[in-house]
Every structure is written in structure tokens, then in C-alpha cells.
Amino acid sequence: MVRTEELRRLAETLLRVLAVAAAYYATARVGLLQRIVLEGAVVTPLWLPTGVAVTCLLWMGLRIWPGIALGAFMLIESIGPFSPSDLAIVAANTLAPVCAYLLLRKVGFRIEMDRLRDGVALVFLGGLLPILLSATVGAGVLVLTGKLAWSVFWPVWAAWWTGDAMGVLVGTPLLIALSRARLPWNTRRWPEAAALVVTAVVITPLATRSALALLFLVFPLLTWAALRFQLAGAAPCVLFVSVLGISAATDHAGPFGHHTLFEVMVNLQALNGSAALTALLLAAIVTEQKSIRRKIEQAVRDLTEVVEHLEAPPRQEE
């Protein structure tokens, strides 16, 4: 009986590892559709596999880390011949999400993201800090193997770092929101949700492709989504803004026209980073305030019941 239970757990872990590997590989192939060749190196402005890896670790724990490594290996193998130096890239792409997970656990991160501290932790400890590892190792391997000149190490490193970090800042909140998505029973909010969707469809292409430099128009939209719908509204809006921004940047359209590729990458990542930070932190603040209000209301109800019980006249014995 004990042996059967162990085999069952092993089979479950194996299935989860394979599922993580498949998710990592699938999102990586999608990410490569919008790849940019920067100084001879292929980079992506939004690398969602890193966000998938961090989220899966938060959901299932460290035991699924082989799935991240397997997914990274499968991706590199599908792009070209796998060399021994690529093992360092696979290791770095695995260790960076693992470090993010460990740092988030260290500070008591809650996957519900119902506190401002959770949003801040995801931004800095989940995204910006641990991704330094994968970017440094990845760009360093390209330089050491002669695929990249030392003179362009920093531009490639910056693009690698921001792409992976954006994968966490965009992908992880989106997956968390999708896992908790429920149709609102309050039908009075449906017209507002529909209005938000229509506004996003109209405003975002205009802001990202207009030659009038109207990128700032996306921020009222993100603020609306975060304040009224919290993470469930903010995360999809950030993804939509990022995807359309990347599309405009790769086409050199609108505010991304008439610039060098490096300047385009800087402007694009400034947009993506600002959008993610604005929406994520605003959503966390509002969620925390609502949670505090509910606790206060419950405490008031409990106190009212106690006062009513104390004020009730004593029952007279017959």
C-alpha cells in the first residue's frame, strides 16, 4: 500500500514536470514570434516563459524545477544545434525563477496578491532582482563563445534582462488572475467591463501606433482597470498594452519610428515597465484597502452583537 502511494505521487510529480515543460516551451515559441535581433543576438521584449516558471513554482513548489530546465532545453534544441555552452543558459534560465520563488517565500509573499507588499515583492524580488542571473549568464555565454562582441554586451544584457523581467511582471499576475477568474454575479458591473474592453481596443492601438506620441493615453486606461477591477482587470490590460506596443515597435510604427533599434528597445521597455508597475501596484493597493474594509466591517458587526447581548435585559426566573 505504501509502495502504491509512493508510485502515485511520483507519477503526479512527473506529469506536473512535463506539463510545466510543455507550458514553458509553448509560451517560448509564441514569444519568439516577436523576436528582435539586437547587435546579432536574438532577444524578445516580453519573455513569458519566465513568468510561467515563477507562477508554476508558486503553485506547485520546488519539485517542478526539472520542468523548467526541460522546457528551456527543448527550446534551445529547436532553434539550433545544442552545444555544451548552452547548458549554462539552461541552468541560468532555471535558477533565476527558482531564486525568485525562494525570495518571495522568504518575505511571506501571498499568491492572492491582496497586499501592497505582495505587489512590491513580485516586482523587485520576483522580477527585477533574480532575473539579473539569467541575463548576465546568457549574454556572458554569447560573448565568451564569440557569438557576441564585448562592445555590445550591455545593450544585449539590458534587453535580455528587461524581457525576462517583463515576463514575470506581466505573465505571473495574468496567470494568477486567470486561476481565480469568476464571472461577476453582479450584472451591474458588466456594462462597465464592456466599456473598459471597448476603450482598450480603441485607445491602445491609437496610443502605440500614432505618430503624435500618445503613449501616455494607456495610463488612464490601466488606472481604470486596476481601480475598478483590481488584478482581474489590470493584468489583461497590461498584456494587451505590451503586445500592441511590441507589435508597433517591431514595425517601427508611431512613436517607435525614426529611431535606432536600441532606442526603440529602450522606449518599449520603458512603456512596458511603467504600465506593469502602475497597474500591478494600484491593483494591490485597492485589493488591500478592500480587504481591510471587510475586516473592519466584520469587527463592527461582531462588536454590535456583543453590545446587543450585553444590553439585553436579564431573563427573570419564575
Side-chain angles (χ1 to χ4, degrees):
M1 186 66 180
V2 176
R3 181 66 175 175
T4 303
E5 184 68 19
E6 291 179 353
L7 289 175
R8 186 183 66 82
R9 291 179 180 177
L10 181 60
E12 289 179 355
T13 301
L14 180 59
L15 288 175
R16 290 180 178 181
V17 166
L18 293 177
V20 171
Y24 189 100
Y25 178 78
T27 50
R29 297 302 303 183
V30 172
L32 288 177
L33 296 177
Q34 293 187 313
R35 60 185 179 269
I36 296 175
V37 179
L38 179 62
E39 306 293 350
V42 177
V43 296
T44 54
L46 178 62
W47 191 241
L48 286 176
T50 308
V52 170
V54 172
T55 309
C56 289
L57 287 167
L58 290 171
W59 280 341
M60 294 177 275
L62 277 177
R63 58 183 175 177
I64 56 90
W65 72 263
I68 303 171
L70 179 60
F73 169 79
M74 292 166 54
L75 175 66
I76 296 176
E77 181 67 24
S78 68
I79 295 175
F82 192 87
S83 62
S85 61
D86 291 330
L87 288 174
I89 297 179
V90 171
N93 286 349
T94 304
L95 287 174
V98 168
C99 290
Y101 166 74
L102 294 175
L103 287 172
L104 290 174
R105 281 198 60 186
K106 184 70 175 178
V107 298
F109 175 81
R110 292 203 308 230
I111 199 168
E112 295 83 5
M113 291 185 63
D114 55 357
R115 303 172 300 177
L116 176 59
R117 59 180 292 185
D118 297 324
V120 174
L122 182 64
V123 170
F124 293 99
L125 301 182
L128 300 181
L129 183 60
I131 303 306
L132 293 171
L133 175 62
S134 58
T136 303
V137 173
V141 167
L142 293 179
V143 169
L144 294 176
T145 55
K147 299 177 182 178
L148 194 68
W150 277 107
S151 59
V152 294
F153 171 83
W154 288 113
V156 172
W157 176 89
W160 195 313
W161 175 60
T162 51
D164 278 20
M166 286 305 305
V168 177
L169 299 187
V170 174
T172 298
L174 179 65
L175 291 174
I176 292 174
L178 290 176
S179 68
R180 302 184 306 174
R182 301 290 186 276
L183 284 177
W185 291 105
N186 185 0
T187 56
R188 290 179 298 178
R189 302 202 65 189
W190 290 5
E192 184 181 3
L196 176 62
V197 172
V198 172
T199 305
V201 171
V202 173
I203 292 297
T204 308
L206 175 65
T208 54
R209 289 189 172 268
S210 173
L212 298 176
L214 300 176
L215 285 177
F216 60 87
L217 289 179
V218 302
F219 290 98
L221 174 69
L222 294 169
T223 302
W224 179 12
L227 292 180
R228 296 294 294 158
F229 299 96
Q230 289 77 64
L231 195 62
C237 279
V238 170
L239 178 64
F240 189 58
V241 168
S242 297
V243 170
L244 291 193
I246 293 170
S247 176
T250 54
D251 293 340
H252 288 272
F256 303 102
H258 309 293
H259 293 287
T260 66
L261 184 56
F262 180 69
E263 291 171 343
V264 167
M265 288 294 295
V266 171
N267 290 331
L268 175 62
Q269 299 300 15
L271 169 65
N272 287 344
S274 299
L277 287 173
T278 299
L280 184 58
L281 295 183
L282 270 178
I285 290 173
V286 175
T287 302
E288 183 176 33
Q289 288 179 342
K290 286 189 172 183
S291 177
I292 293 173
R293 185 179 65 184
R294 285 193 297 267
K295 291 178 181 179
I296 293 174
E297 290 174 350
Q298 182 61 44
V300 170
R301 286 193 295 268
D302 294 342
L303 182 59
T304 302
E305 292 178 1
V306 171
V307 171
E308 290 176 352
H309 177 74
L310 293 175
E311 290 181 346
R315 296 178 59 185
Q316 296 181 357
E317 297 181 359
E318 295 181 359

